[in-house]
Amino acid sequence: MCPLQAPTLEPAPAGERPAPAGEQRAPAGERPAPAGERPWPRAFASARTLTRPELLDAPVRWPRPSRLQAPLEVASSRVEEGLRTLGLTSVGALLEHLPRDSRDARTISQLARAENATVAVEVREISVRPLRRRGMKPLVEAIVFDETGTMCARFFNQPWLAQRYRPGTRLVLHGKLAGRGAFNVAYHAVGSDIGTARDADGGEVARVAHYPATDGLSSTQILTLVRDARQRLADIPETLAASVRVDEKLPDRAAALAAMHFPRSSRDLERARRRLAFEELLLSQLAFLRRSALRRARRGAPVLARAPELSTRWLDHELPFALTGDQARAIAEIRDDLAQDCAMQRLLLGEVGSGKTVVATYALLRAVEHGQQAALMAPTETLAEQHFATLQRLLGSAQAEVTCALLTGSTAARTRRQTLGRLRTGELQLIVGTHAVIEPDVRFRALAVVVVDEQHRFGVRQRAALDDKASSPAGPHVLHMTATPIPRTLALAQYGDLDTSILRELPQGRQPIETRIVAGDDARARAYARVRQQLRQGRQAYVVCPQIEQTEDSADGRAGAGPTVGAGSTGAAAARDETRAAVAELERLRSGELRDHRLVLLHGAMRPREKAKAMAEFASGAGDVLVATTVIEVGIDVPNATVMLIENAERFGISQLHQLRGRIGRGQHRSLCLLMGPPGAPRLRALREHSDGFALAEIDLRLRKEGELIGTRQSGVGQFKIACLPDDEPLLERARAQAEAIMRHDPELQAPEHALLGDRLELELGAAATEPIPG
């Protein structure tokens, strides 16, 4: 990589000229920029024009990024181990290790005894005091002060500090205030570069960066290492083109990193964070757009362009209701996608109950009527079974023209062999299943369309394995569905490479759902009275148990006892706990609040035949109450069910509660959702106040952050290092616009001004992010 060449500043010519109309004027006392030359430079992240003396005094530097690869030199093996744990193996990695926040340091007068604290001080006197104990190094004592007072700071086992920290040295000390006003120092750093800010009274207070740390390596020690490496900030290459930084009013990367490590004010800190967050968002959007461009450049997908026959007859004669406007638009978009020879990658976003399955069924039928095969993959057996039953019901008489089968991990061996054989020959046109569909021995004759439901619950590699089942070089057309409404912010950030269809309209006849929070024994009793009232009127009800552990309180049969969420259950153990708790709740209700009614049990550990029997019993009206776990979250449609009671509702996420609530309100009667939990819980208040799933999704995003967006992991707390969604939504929109502009003019990132951006894209997101796009 070539070093950046510093600008040459010519001396000012004698004489001046008046500035023509429209030309930028130079600062007072300075000549204006000559005609045809660039206007006077301005300060980064500021509209202030630099004066000529400032330009002449500016340091000239040639960045040498190779110096950032130098290893860190530390004296302690414990510190070295801590650096390895954090992945800080080079100077560059250290400078990219950003503080989690920047806090005001305490003043001496604010220190409390035995409390860990950080204080910014100046050394007045320093000396070494020998200790009488044999083998112990002398104690260093320093008289330090700030504007509020003076104290004695003690440094143990470091006698050389008496020579390093001479009077007048500014320090940042971290430790505890002990007896007699002595401050026992645990970690320390030179504080000459610590920033200052104004407090409420207008006085200066020190700002100290606090870093993510680990055992053996404290935040203060990291600050010391960063300060020692500060000169290497000059070697940080600039990623963004100058035109982008000018458009977005962003400082250069080195200045932003310097401000993050050594903040001078909250304003500078936010400017630096904004610059780095913009770059992070720009990289993610470039990766999405390049991924989309690569997909569109690959030809050879099945072309499903014939006039629709089976699908049109199905829409016109088999559906018991009219399509909503959103459904009709989504179907038209899918029809156009399927007629292309590049594989469809479309995301179907929909409100709960908006009819996504109808749209998906149309896509599946388009494959069948072209003599091709289609697959629908769901993350759980229960959901796959429900989809299979729903498809059979929706198809109606069209079932005679569509051969369809179910394939899950519980499919009997003989049935499985027959199903796989029919898939290979093409006799089986439509398969509904779980991960079993992507096992190595599953082969299709001509797979053309795939619908992936709850797609966020599948890994990238799992979805890729299904793509590989297609015989066409470009893979099958894929429709991704999610039952959870997603706000535009998250859709753009997480699915920026997919085309999107949104279903907001609900089918006619959907009834509003009243939602109430139930807290306390008296309220619980009244809630069950409301349930019994609905049952006496001939309606049906759900009682939902969370993933829980059974406790003495939940199993003792006393009135008002409810299930309790377990703290440590995961995997198979959690499923067993969930099953035990659901069974216990069923028995409790049979002898308690609902003893005069017919109860049906449904949970994920039941065999497929048992689950199907339970659902059939409840759907037919032979059962009054379905006591269930979250297996009913999606896919259940019983119009006569008008009331739902959710135990320990505060333990569920907002989107999950919204999904559960969507199981009621599907008939002609008004419905009621009762959330058992504390009235102050933010999630429960959100459900009580909002019925719009997209509004709830925005609230949910703020509570849980966005998850990792690029790569193969798709869960966890917000994986952006710097950007914070949804707060940075405007920044995301601007990053998307800049990414689109770059892709229009330089899709391969070959232009000189984009070369370093391409390098960073590959560094951050891997070689696939910069794979050449076929011409």
Side-chain angles (χ1 to χ4, degrees):
M1 185 178 296
C2 298
L4 300 180
Q5 185 173 355
T8 302
L9 299 177
E10 299 293 340
E16 295 183 357
R17 61 175 177 82
E23 182 180 285
Q24 181 183 0
R25 290 190 175 275
E30 300 296 330
R31 72 173 180 89
E37 294 186 10
R38 296 181 62 184
W40 287 87
R42 296 181 179 273
F44 281 123
S46 170
R48 184 179 66 82
T49 303
L50 296 174
T51 65
R52 186 169 188 82
E54 286 178 321
L55 290 171
L56 291 173
D57 290 341
V60 178
R61 62 182 178 93
W62 288 266
R64 289 177 53 189
S66 61
R67 292 190 289 201
L68 298 172
Q69 304 305 315
L72 293 170
E73 297 181 2
V74 294
S76 166
S77 59
R78 183 174 171 84
V79 171
E80 186 176 1
E81 178 62 28
L83 289 169
R84 279 199 300 269
T85 300
L86 294 174
L88 308 182
T89 57
S90 66
V91 171
L94 175 68
L95 295 177
E96 296 284 349
H97 185 69
L98 299 179
R100 64 163 59 94
D101 59 33
S102 177
R103 310 172 193 168
D104 294 344
R106 296 283 186 88
T107 61
I108 290 177
S109 64
Q110 292 172 334
L111 294 176
R113 186 169 180 178
E115 179 187 8
N116 281 306
T118 301
V119 60
V121 295
E122 184 174 331
V123 177
R124 177 173 292 164
E125 301 175 11
I126 191 165
S127 61
V128 178
R129 182 162 66 87
L131 296 177
R132 296 180 180 179
R133 294 182 184 178
R134 181 177 299 175
M136 291 195 67
K137 295 180 180 178
L139 173 69
V140 173
E141 291 185 333
I143 304 301
V144 297
F145 69 95
D146 64 10
E147 67 276 9
T148 68
T150 303
M151 69 177 181
C152 176
R154 294 174 175 173
F155 302 84
F156 297 91
N157 300 318
Q158 301 168 86
W160 58 87
L161 295 180
Q163 298 299 318
R164 180 183 297 178
Y165 294 160
R166 299 297 184 95
T169 304
R170 293 185 64 194
L171 298 176
V172 175
L173 309 177
H174 184 80
K176 288 183 180 180
L177 186 66
R180 299 181 181 179
F183 189 83
N184 293 334
V185 179
Y187 307 109
H188 49 91
V190 175
S192 59
D193 294 315
I194 299 302
T196 59
R198 296 285 178 181
D199 61 17
D201 298 325
E204 286 191 350
V205 292
R207 299 186 66 87
V208 181
H210 285 249
Y211 294 85
T214 187
D215 290 341
L217 185 64
S218 72
S219 172
T220 309
Q221 288 171 304
I222 295 174
L223 177 61
T224 302
L225 291 169
V226 171
R227 184 187 177 280
D228 291 343
R230 182 171 187 173
Q231 294 299 319
R232 296 282 71 83
L233 285 167
D235 294 318
I236 297 288
E238 177 50 59
T239 308
L240 302 180
S243 59
V244 173
R245 287 192 286 117
V246 169
D247 287 346
E248 304 299 332
K249 299 180 176 61
L250 301 173
D252 65 33
R253 197 163 200 283
L257 288 173
M260 293 294 287
H261 290 297
F262 309 106
R264 295 287 177 179
S265 68
S266 298
R267 187 180 180 188
D268 284 351
L269 187 63
E270 175 54 25
R271 284 173 172 170
R273 190 205 68 81
R274 183 178 180 275
R275 189 265 187 250
L276 297 174
F278 178 86
E279 179 182 318
E280 192 173 37
L281 294 169
L282 178 67
L283 289 172
S284 73
Q285 294 305 304
L286 280 172
F288 281 138
L289 292 173
R290 287 185 58 80
R291 190 181 295 172
S292 179
L294 283 167
R295 169 174 57 85
R296 289 186 169 88
R298 294 191 181 105
R299 302 296 174 177
V303 177
L304 309 180
R306 269 187 250 150
E309 298 178 1
L310 172 62
S311 57
T312 298
R313 289 201 311 273
W314 172 71
L315 287 173
D316 293 342
H317 303 295
E318 299 298 335
L319 283 184
F321 47 80
L323 294 175
T324 66
D326 286 346
Q327 286 176 316
R329 276 189 293 275
I331 284 175
E333 290 166 345
I334 290 170
R335 182 171 60 245
D336 292 343
D337 288 347
L338 297 179
Q340 307 301 316
D341 64 348
C342 59
M344 173 181 75
Q345 288 287 341
R346 183 167 290 276
L347 175 66
L348 183 61
L349 289 175
E351 176 61 280
V352 174
S354 60
K356 294 181 290 293
T357 305
V358 170
V359 176
T361 302
Y362 174 85
L364 298 171
L365 289 179
R366 284 297 282 159
V368 171
E369 63 190 351
H370 280 79
Q372 306 284 309
Q373 292 171 295
L376 191 159
M377 190 165 72
T380 66
E381 288 191 7
T382 301
L383 186 53
E385 292 159 5
Q386 291 165 5
H387 272 308
F388 186 64
T390 301
L391 278 173
Q392 290 179 312
R393 185 177 71 251
L394 284 175
L395 288 174
S397 62
Q399 287 186 67
E401 302 179 65
V402 182
T403 54
C404 183
L406 177 69
L407 182 64
T408 71
S410 298
T411 302
R414 180 179 178 182
T415 303
R416 188 176 190 278
R417 285 195 300 271
Q418 293 175 344
T419 299
L420 297 189
R422 296 172 67 202
L423 275 177
R424 283 193 295 269
T425 62
E427 177 188 351
L428 190 58
Q429 298 164 302
L430 176 58
I431 188 78
V432 179
T434 58
H435 300 77
V437 174
I438 59 174
E439 291 180 1
D441 60 341
V442 178
R443 296 184 181 88
F444 293 82
R445 184 185 65 81
L447 179 62
V449 174
V450 173
V451 174
V452 181
D453 193 21
E454 291 292 283
Q455 65 89 35
H456 61 280
R457 295 170 67 176
F458 290 97
V460 173
R461 295 188 183 92
Q462 291 169 319
R463 296 199 298 272
L466 189 55
D467 290 349
D468 292 340
K469 299 294 182 182
S471 57
S472 60
H477 299 285
V478 182
L479 179 66
H480 306 266
M481 291 202 305
T482 175
T484 305
I486 298 175
R488 170 175 166 77
T489 305
L490 190 56
L492 186 62
Q494 192 164 2
Y495 307 111
D497 56 336
L498 304 181
D499 300 314
T500 304
S501 296
I502 298 178
L503 306 182
R504 287 184 177 270
E505 295 179 75
L506 297 180
Q508 291 184 357
R510 288 300 300 260
Q511 296 295 318
I513 302 171
E514 178 187 359
T515 302
R516 292 190 176 185
I517 302 174
V518 179
D521 291 342
D522 291 342
R524 173 182 284 272
R526 291 193 297 272
Y528 272 102
R530 292 286 300 274
V531 174
R532 291 192 295 271
Q533 179 186 20
Q534 291 286 311
L535 298 178
R536 285 194 295 269
Q537 293 175 0
R539 316 284 179 260
Q540 292 169 278
Y542 298 100
V543 174
V544 181
C545 303
Q547 185 168 316
I548 51 182
E549 288 178 346
Q550 181 181 346
T551 66
E552 293 181 4
D553 285 346
S554 66
D556 65 6
R558 63 181 174 84
T564 304
V565 176
S569 299
T570 57
R576 289 193 297 270
D577 293 333
E578 182 181 78
T579 300
R580 286 197 299 268
V583 172
E585 184 70 358
L586 179 80
E587 297 303 323
R588 190 185 73 76
L589 292 173
R590 273 180 174 164
S591 60
E593 294 93 338
L594 301 179
R595 55 183 171 271
D596 298 326
H597 299 278
R598 299 167 297 177
L599 308 186
V600 179
L601 178 67
L602 180 66
H603 56 74
M606 296 169 67
R607 294 180 181 276
R609 186 174 300 175
E610 296 172 331
K611 285 186 282 190
K613 180 181 177 182
M615 275 308 307
E617 184 178 352
F618 182 66
S620 68
D624 298 322
V625 180
L626 185 67
V627 180
T629 58
T630 55
V631 295
I632 67 164
E633 183 179 349
V634 290
I636 302 292
D637 186 4
V638 180
N640 193 46
T642 59
V643 60
M644 174 176 287
L645 187 148
I646 304 177
E647 292 282 1
N648 295 108
E650 76 279 3
R651 303 293 186 177
F652 294 93
I654 288 178
S655 61
Q656 195 172 34
L657 287 171
H658 187 56
Q659 286 294 329
L660 289 168
R661 182 172 62 178
R663 299 311 102 202
I664 57 177
R666 292 173 171 259
Q668 59 182 335
H669 304 288
R670 295 181 67 88
S671 296
L672 173 66
C673 180
L674 300 167
L675 306 176
M676 300 291 196
R683 295 170 183 158
L684 305 193
R685 291 203 312 270
L687 265 291
R688 183 184 61 194
E689 296 167 4
H690 298 277
S691 59
D692 180 2
F694 288 91
L696 287 169
E698 289 280 2
I699 297 171
D700 192 25
L701 177 58
R702 291 184 182 276
L703 291 177
R704 66 178 174 83
K705 300 306 178 186
E706 73 278 357
E708 185 178 10
L709 310 179
I710 300 289
T712 56
R713 292 198 311 270
Q714 293 182 307
S715 62
V717 182
Q719 297 294 325
F720 279 136
K721 294 178 183 177
I722 305 156
C724 180
L725 297 178
D727 298 338
D728 282 329
E729 180 178 1
L731 206 60
L732 173 61
E733 296 280 1
R734 295 194 66 83
R736 177 74 175 199
Q738 288 286 356
E740 289 173 345
I742 291 171
M743 287 296 293
R744 278 196 302 271
H745 298 102
D746 185 23
E748 299 292 345
L749 303 179
Q750 294 293 315
E753 64 270 25
H754 297 145
L756 295 182
L757 184 63
D759 289 347
R760 188 151 195 91
L761 188 64
E762 181 173 348
L763 176 67
E764 295 288 334
L765 304 176
T770 54
E771 179 183 346
I773 300 172

